[in-house]
Amino acid sequence: MDSLISPAPCVALDAGILCIDTQQVRPQMACCYLIERGDDLAFVEAGTSPGVPALLALLEARGLARERVRYVIPTHVHLDHAGGAGLLMRALPNAKLVVHPRGARHLIDPGKLIAGASAVYGADAVQRMYGEIAPVPEARVIVADDGLRLPLGDGALEFIDSPGHARHHFCVWDAASRGFFTGDSFGLSYREFDTAAGPFVMPTTTPVQFEPEAWRQTLARLLAYAPQWMYLTHYGRVGEVPRLARELGDGIARYERIATELAGVQDRHAQLRRALSADALAALRAHGCTLADEAIGAILDGDLELNAQGLGVWLDQQAKPRA
């Protein structure tokens, strides 16, 4: 390990869990988690390739042997979650990559994944943001069907199919912490928006598989476990799960309504973008957020742009004739 590489910033949580900033775009935008149980370690999420050296430096700084990492677990194959998986796996000789059945082929051969991201962001931006997106040998991949349980230490992790944000998404139930690692299935909750009312949550409708009814069913399924915590990728651990689930469901319903009302306008994307910005600002003001409009915009600009794109794709899919 290059001694000049600083370990990724992290916060120790309960039950042997570290929340690690994967240092994408800005501090506390995206994280991954390192779970330590007995002799076993597991990464949930892999971040992007440029952040992998800092993850490895963190292991070294904490005296954790790479050989102890049993699993690398991206919740889905969007590149802010899985782009670094291939490089991370190269450095972890005993690890298996655990991935949703719909996502496995894209991490074994990431060509289509790169092409899809390039279509959204542009090829230069993909290279700048995500770096090398390396393939993972098929022999090192575990396909996590719904309900799969994998041992970790003296317990297990359970994998729950979680469509709504993406069809290639699962959530990971950790009975030891009474929590779900939710990827994007419990929305976005940036710490800058915390107020006396608690955390704030909003949907993420990144292209191309926003499915509101499936998302509602996913939320109901997660809540049936009575989780104490949700471990979000964007950003960190949140409690108050029933309240946040209600508010996320309300946000999904507003997004549906906004998109439907703007379905036939000429400048649809621009109007979606403006409407989502107004919705976020109104919701944050109701939550007690006192940040300036410009500061809120700076934090949410990229997310709202992708949300508008995702709602546009959803509208186009809704307009297609049913077979």
Side-chain angles (χ1 to χ4, degrees):
M1 175 59 62
D2 187 339
S3 61
L4 297 179
I5 297 173
S6 298
C10 68
V11 175
L13 306 174
D14 304 325
I17 298 171
L18 288 180
C19 176
I20 307 168
D21 194 327
T22 51
Q23 304 178 87
Q24 302 176 45
V25 182
R26 60 179 177 82
Q28 296 194 331
M29 193 282 286
C31 68
C32 68
Y33 296 91
L34 181 67
I35 310 172
E36 182 175 11
R37 300 283 161 76
D39 291 334
D40 291 340
L41 300 171
F43 279 104
V44 180
E45 311 290 34
T48 60
S49 291
V52 166
L55 297 181
L56 299 174
L58 178 65
L59 291 178
E60 184 174 6
R62 299 182 74 89
L64 301 172
R66 297 183 186 186
E67 290 77 11
R68 291 176 57 191
V69 179
R70 191 165 183 177
Y71 309 115
V72 173
I73 308 170
T75 58
H76 58 302
V77 301
H78 290 162
L79 293 178
D80 51 333
H81 300 255
L87 285 189
L88 189 56
M89 288 289 292
R90 284 182 187 173
L92 304 174
N94 297 329
K96 295 285 190 178
L97 182 78
V98 187
V99 63
H100 190 281
R102 290 179 178 267
R105 68 183 186 276
H106 295 298
L107 297 185
I108 293 167
D109 179 2
K112 289 185 178 179
L113 195 63
I114 296 167
S118 298
V120 173
Y121 302 106
D124 290 344
V126 168
Q127 176 60 37
R128 184 174 62 254
M129 291 189 294
Y130 302 118
E132 180 184 2
I133 301 169
V136 178
E138 186 171 1
R140 299 186 66 189
V141 173
I142 296 173
V143 174
D145 291 312
D146 186 40
L148 177 70
R149 290 172 58 85
L150 290 177
L152 188 71
D154 58 0
L157 301 175
E158 182 180 355
F159 295 80
I160 305 297
D161 184 32
S162 306
H165 171 77
R167 294 177 190 168
H168 48 83
H169 200 305
F170 54 51
C171 293
V172 185
W173 172 245
D174 175 37
S177 68
R178 298 297 305 172
F180 270 109
F181 296 92
T182 62
D184 289 343
S185 292
F186 208 67
L188 310 173
S189 183
Y190 293 130
R191 303 283 58 83
E192 292 94 333
F193 299 146
D194 291 353
T195 69
F200 173 83
V201 70
M202 61 179 284
T204 171
T205 57
T206 303
V208 294
Q209 293 175 345
F210 171 59
E211 294 174 312
E213 186 53 40
W215 201 340
R216 281 186 279 269
Q217 293 173 13
T218 287
L219 288 176
R221 192 173 180 198
L222 300 183
L223 290 176
Y225 283 71
Q228 181 179 0
W229 303 108
M230 296 300 207
Y231 297 92
L232 279 62
T233 305
H234 310 285
Y235 180 91
R237 183 180 74 172
V238 296
E240 301 182 61
V241 174
R243 172 182 71 81
L244 291 176
R246 288 193 301 272
E247 293 180 4
L248 179 58
D250 290 345
I252 292 168
R254 292 198 309 274
Y255 271 34
E256 282 185 275
R257 185 170 62 252
I258 288 168
T260 301
E261 290 174 352
L262 296 175
V265 300
Q266 285 292 108
D267 54 344
R268 188 182 71 184
H269 178 76
Q271 291 213 37
L272 282 170
R273 182 69 175 77
R274 286 193 292 271
L276 294 183
S277 296
D279 178 79
L281 188 60
L284 281 162
R285 294 301 180 221
H287 185 67
C289 178
T290 59
L291 291 177
D293 291 3
E294 294 78 9
I296 292 171
I299 293 167
L300 290 181
D301 183 68
D303 293 312
L304 293 174
E305 172 62 24
L306 290 175
N307 283 358
Q309 291 183 29
L311 289 179
V313 171
W314 177 69
L315 286 171
D316 291 341
Q317 291 169 342
Q318 295 298 108
K320 290 179 181 178
R322 302 296 179 183

